[in-house]
Amino acid sequence: MATDYGQGYGRVMRSDLDGRWTEDRDGDGAVTARRHRLPVWLRAPFEGRALREFVYVLLSLPLSITGFVFAVTMLALGAGLLITFIGIPVLALALTGLRGFGSLERVRARSLLGVDVKDPHPLQPRGSGPLAWMGAVLKSGVSWRHAVYALIHMPWAIFSFAVAVVFWTYGWAMLTYPLWFWVFPAYAGQDGIQLYGDGTHHIYLDNPFEIGLTSLTGFLVTLVTPWIVRALTTVDRGLVLGLLGPSRLVSRVVELESDRGVVVDTAAADLRRIERDLHDGAQARLVALAMDLGLAKEKLAEDPQAAARMVDEAHGEVKVALQELRDLARGIHPAVLTDRGLDAALSALAARCTVPVDVEVDLPSRPAAAIEGIAYFTVSELLQNISKHSGAARASVDVWRVEDRLLLQVSDDGRGGADVTAGSGLAGLAERLDAVDGILVVESPVGGPTLVTAELPWRG
């Protein structure tokens, strides 16, 4: 059966067991499933993917030879001239040329093999001028990985080219042998393809049975050839991703820097929110309370009853201010979460929600305080969205652990239509989770129901 994964992960159609389902994408990226009558092992020789992979192998030979010759010549020349200053710019030029060769290889891999390889991070010279540029090129691990690719890809390209061409040509030649075997008696002076021959004995493929058997063998070779070429190009995919793509360490550093920026921005926004709530809420009430108590003090001697009324009103303002301070403190970090953990804290959240909420927490132990806090505020914001926007009659919250991940799932039976990409609070929530290597997946078709799954790293 074909499986369609929903909106949160992007729509992906997985082929069923016999390979008869494939996905079609239109110009807007929409995906539709198409069922083929032939199984994939019969379709493979005639599909565009097989042709593209074969073209990739064919092009690899001349391009890899060109890259290899350039790399060996320039690197050897630069290394030989290192005894003088001229060797440094020669090596820098060689590595720059190989980076350009790598760009061509990435484009070729994307277009013919469908490899999702990103460009490596650009050079960042420390300063301006030729010396700074040469230093950046020579110190860049990306540059040297491109050189390694040019050196090791040529022998593999020669092997791949030989294997692919032999299988393709022999397979199709034998498959179509009944159509052209007449060439031998007509022009070559023999009965057919010669399998064996010495001074006295000759074996030719010339009778109908042998011609049919040759064609059947060619058919089998033709069927297996795309899979052999695909296995060969799998190695090319690994070389391109491993040597021509961005460094995993550098990518991770960039990702962590981006996540740190999100965390800093989130913390600054929270501080501004707390300051605004204090200024507009409790602080304003306390100022008004001080003024009321001052007036009551002045009236205490001349009008005790009016002063008593003012003190009574001030007492009510104190209660309201205390409640606002409690709500503000709960918004920073609720005491129940610290004291009793997620189960009790989420139950308290559910009790304040305007929609009946079923809460189920199945955790063997408590996660780290930071992860616990993020999980709490994630559920809190999702329940607020349900209260304000969903129109739901019922909701549920499930929390459990799978290996080293903490999973939260909040669902409701409301009107649906929630979208992370619409710039709503869900987008900010997704950024917060991403800052700690978390994931937010939203499945919310128009008309409902809505299912939001959050995944966080488990840290005990």
Side-chain angles (χ1 to χ4, degrees):
M1 300 278 304
T3 305
D4 185 12
Y5 291 94
Q7 164 183 349
Y9 293 100
R11 295 183 59 83
V12 178
M13 185 63 64
R14 177 187 293 176
S15 298
D16 59 351
L17 294 179
D18 62 357
R20 298 189 184 209
W21 287 98
T22 58
E23 64 174 25
D24 289 333
R25 296 181 181 269
D26 58 21
D28 298 328
V31 179
T32 56
R34 182 160 54 92
R35 183 175 176 85
H36 294 275
R37 294 182 179 180
L38 294 176
V40 65
W41 58 273
L42 281 176
R43 281 196 330 269
F46 310 99
E47 288 186 328
R49 177 179 178 180
L51 179 60
R52 290 192 299 270
E53 291 173 340
F54 183 60
V55 171
Y56 181 90
V57 172
L58 294 181
L59 293 177
S60 291
L61 182 64
L63 290 176
S64 64
I65 291 176
T66 303
F68 180 84
V69 171
F70 176 81
V72 170
T73 303
M74 295 297 292
L75 292 177
L77 179 62
L81 292 175
L82 279 179
I83 193 172
T84 66
F85 179 76
I86 300 176
I88 295 178
V90 171
L91 282 177
L93 288 173
L95 293 177
T96 303
L98 291 173
R99 289 175 72 105
F101 174 73
S103 299
L104 175 62
E105 289 293 282
R106 285 192 296 272
V107 171
R108 197 164 64 94
R110 292 190 195 106
S111 58
L112 296 178
L113 298 183
V115 177
D116 184 18
V117 55
K118 298 179 181 178
D119 293 333
H121 299 284
L123 294 173
Q124 296 178 342
R126 296 183 179 179
S128 57
L131 290 178
W133 170 77
M134 287 187 290
V137 172
L138 294 174
K139 292 179 181 178
S140 172
V142 174
S143 302
W144 292 104
R145 285 194 283 114
H146 280 65
V148 172
Y149 177 85
L151 294 175
I152 69 174
H153 188 249
M154 189 197 70
W156 174 253
I158 294 174
F159 174 78
S160 300
F161 181 90
V163 172
V165 169
V166 167
F167 272 86
W168 271 100
T169 55
Y170 274 80
W172 283 103
M174 289 189 294
L175 177 63
T176 59
Y177 183 56
L179 303 177
W180 57 272
F181 81 96
W182 58 268
V183 172
F184 289 95
Y187 297 101
Q190 62 185 47
D191 296 334
I193 296 177
Q194 182 176 342
L195 285 183
Y196 173 79
D198 53 23
T200 57
H201 298 87
H202 301 278
I203 299 178
Y204 298 100
L205 301 175
D206 54 357
N207 62 58
F209 173 76
E210 293 172 346
I211 293 173
L213 184 62
T214 302
S215 182
L216 177 61
T217 304
F219 176 69
L220 297 177
V221 173
T222 302
L223 289 182
V224 78
T225 296
W227 305 103
I228 294 175
V229 175
R230 190 161 301 171
L232 296 172
T233 54
T234 299
V235 178
D236 289 279
R237 289 183 176 92
L239 291 174
V240 171
L241 289 170
L243 295 176
L244 301 184
S247 168
R248 292 186 179 180
L249 178 60
V250 175
S251 300
R252 183 59 176 165
V253 169
V254 172
E255 181 183 354
L256 291 176
E257 288 178 349
S258 175
D259 292 345
R260 182 182 63 182
V262 172
V263 171
V264 171
D265 293 341
T266 301
D270 289 340
L271 288 176
R272 288 193 298 270
R273 177 183 59 82
I274 294 170
E275 181 183 9
R276 183 179 62 252
D277 292 344
L278 284 173
H279 183 272
D280 298 340
Q283 182 179 350
R285 289 189 180 278
L286 291 175
V287 171
L289 175 62
M291 296 176 62
D292 290 343
L293 289 176
L295 292 174
K297 182 179 178 180
E298 293 178 357
K299 290 182 173 291
L300 184 60
E302 57 187 47
D303 191 353
Q305 292 183 349
R309 286 196 303 271
M310 297 179 69
V311 170
D312 186 60
E313 293 174 358
H315 182 257
E317 289 292 323
V318 169
K319 292 182 178 179
V320 174
L322 287 175
Q323 184 60 42
E324 289 184 353
L325 289 173
R326 290 194 191 98
D327 293 339
L328 183 60
R330 187 183 296 114
I332 298 172
H333 195 85
V336 65
L337 179 63
T338 303
D339 297 338
R340 300 173 58 189
L342 272 175
D343 196 354
L346 296 183
S347 298
L349 275 179
R352 295 197 299 271
C353 186
T354 59
V355 176
V357 180
D358 298 323
V359 178
E360 183 174 349
V361 179
D362 183 14
L363 296 176
S365 59
R366 293 182 63 174
I371 299 300
E372 198 173 51
I374 294 173
Y376 172 85
F377 288 110
T378 299
V379 175
S380 175
E381 186 156 343
L382 292 175
L383 290 182
Q384 289 180 23
N385 289 342
I386 292 175
S387 299
K388 296 176 182 178
H389 309 298
S390 70
R394 195 156 198 87
S396 66
V397 176
D398 294 305
V399 183
W400 71 99
R401 177 184 176 182
V402 177
E403 296 180 353
D404 60 344
R405 308 294 284 182
L406 174 65
L407 280 86
L408 318 170
Q409 202 166 70
V410 180
S411 61
D412 67 77
D413 58 359
R415 62 177 66 95
D419 188 1
V420 178
T421 63
S424 61
L426 290 175
L429 192 58
E431 289 181 354
R432 292 192 181 193
L433 293 177
D434 184 64
V436 292
D437 289 337
I439 301 173
L440 184 73
V441 179
V442 179
E443 299 178 31
S444 182
V446 176
T450 296
L451 178 65
V452 181
T453 304
E455 184 179 324
L456 291 165
W458 178 274
R459 296 170 188 163

